[in-house]
Amino acid sequence: MVQDKSLGRRLFIFANYSILFLVSLICILPFANLLAVSFSGSAAVAAREVVFWPVDFTTKAYEFALKGDQFLQSVWVSTQRVVLGTIINLILMVLTAYPLSKTKEKVMGRGIYMGFFVLTMLFNGGLIPSYLIVVKTGLIDSIWSLILPGALPVYSMIILMNFIRSLPEEIEESATIDGAGPMQILIRILLPLLKPALATVGLFSIVGHWNSWFDGIIYMNNPDNYPLQSYLQTLLLNFEKMMLRSGTDYTKLLAQMNVRTGRAAQLFLGTVPILIVYPFLQKYFTKGLVLGSVKG
């Protein structure tokens, strides 16, 4: 009887699992340390006693991060940005990827359009022209200044375009014979088939909008309009100054924490929403990414 797995095959599988296990540890351990530091007492953190388990457990760092209205306001701004930005990204990606998925014979000037989009991936006008455009269009200090400049992510659009090109052409041909127009084919037939790809590029958009902080600082004059990551960035940079405050509601909290615990709590709070969303989209993620990279 022939063995199902040879010795070489078993060694190969063992090596693969070992490497994946090590890579997983490299990804997980920093988060474990961050979480442990955020729940540890300031003295233990200062003495570098905290590794992967909290020492002198306390939630003072989270009380500090959540204290006041600005944190909740920044969460609301980030939520608006993620929802509106992701919807706009997906709509524009679908409307752009669908016609570009056709051959040059079916879409006149397809090569020119593709060249234009690829060019924007390699070059951009720079910070000052982008800022002037936002100012001149009246978007400054508005939620739309965080969404419209990046309304069409070209890299994600190309993934979606290649996914559409990988679908059998007979699907559209049969629908055309039945009298369906391009929009009917796109909405009623292709969109249900695009779920894996849409989940993939949608996750890219969600992560991109949630983690972006620089544009919030550049385009927002009022700190109340900062998205969460911009607020956390300014908080991290000015944390030492806040630690020196006196006569405020923060005094008692600051006496029981230090810079490292406060920063760890804020950084972990910034990653929690993505950690919650990702498991729901993970089953589509790998499939959509692989299928979207089959054809050029």
Side-chain angles (χ1 to χ4, degrees), residues 32-41 43-56 260-261:
N33 176 257
L34 189 72
L35 185 61
V37 169
S38 68
F39 281 113
S40 297
V45 174
R48 299 187 179 280
E49 298 176 356
V50 182
V51 184
F52 302 120
W53 194 258
V55 179
D56 300 331
R260 286 191 63 197
T261 56

Side-chain angles (χ1 to χ4, degrees), residues 105-125:
E105 290 74 18
K106 294 182 178 180
V107 177
M108 184 180 300
R110 177 188 178 278
I112 298 176
Y113 291 120
M114 279 302 304
F116 172 78
F117 285 119
V118 172
L119 187 66
T120 62
M121 295 176 62
L122 304 176
F123 304 99
N124 62 73

Side-chain angles (χ1 to χ4, degrees), residues 210-241:
W210 184 263
N211 287 337
S212 182
W213 61 270
F214 186 68
D215 52 357
I217 293 177
I218 294 297
Y219 300 138
M220 296 299 179
N221 295 326
N222 186 354
D224 291 338
N225 295 329
Y226 280 172
L228 179 60
Q229 303 303 331
S230 300
Y231 167 68
L232 293 179
Q233 177 67 14
T234 57
L235 202 60
L236 293 177
L237 294 176
N238 300 317
F239 200 90
E240 288 81 357
K241 296 180 181 179

Side-chain angles (χ1 to χ4, degrees), residues 160-197:
L160 191 62
M161 179 192 71
N162 288 333
F163 186 93
I164 296 175
R165 294 181 69 183
S166 69
L167 297 175
E169 296 181 1
E170 290 77 7
I171 296 177
E172 293 190 50
E173 292 174 357
S174 60
T176 303
I177 293 174
D178 290 338
M183 289 303 296
Q184 289 178 309
I185 294 174
L186 175 62
I187 295 174
R188 296 186 179 183
I189 298 176
L190 291 184
L191 282 184
L193 299 175
L194 292 178
K195 285 183 180 179

Side-chain angles (χ1 to χ4, degrees), residues 50-69:
V50 182
V51 184
F52 302 120
W53 194 258
V55 179
D56 300 331
F57 184 87
T58 178
T59 59
K60 297 302 180 183
Y62 288 93
E63 293 178 30
F64 169 78
L66 296 172
K67 198 171 183 63
D69 297 332

Side-chain angles (χ1 to χ4, degrees), residues 72-87:
L72 296 178
Q73 175 64 21
S74 64
V75 171
W76 171 240
V77 173
S78 284
T79 302
Q80 287 180 293
R81 174 179 185 171
V82 169
V83 173
L84 293 175
T86 302
I87 292 174

Side-chain angles (χ1 to χ4, degrees), residues 18-39:
S18 300
I19 293 173
L20 291 175
F21 177 74
L22 291 176
V23 172
S24 299
L25 283 181
I26 293 173
C27 296
I28 294 173
L29 291 183
F31 282 98
N33 176 257
L34 189 72
L35 185 61
V37 169
S38 68
F39 281 113

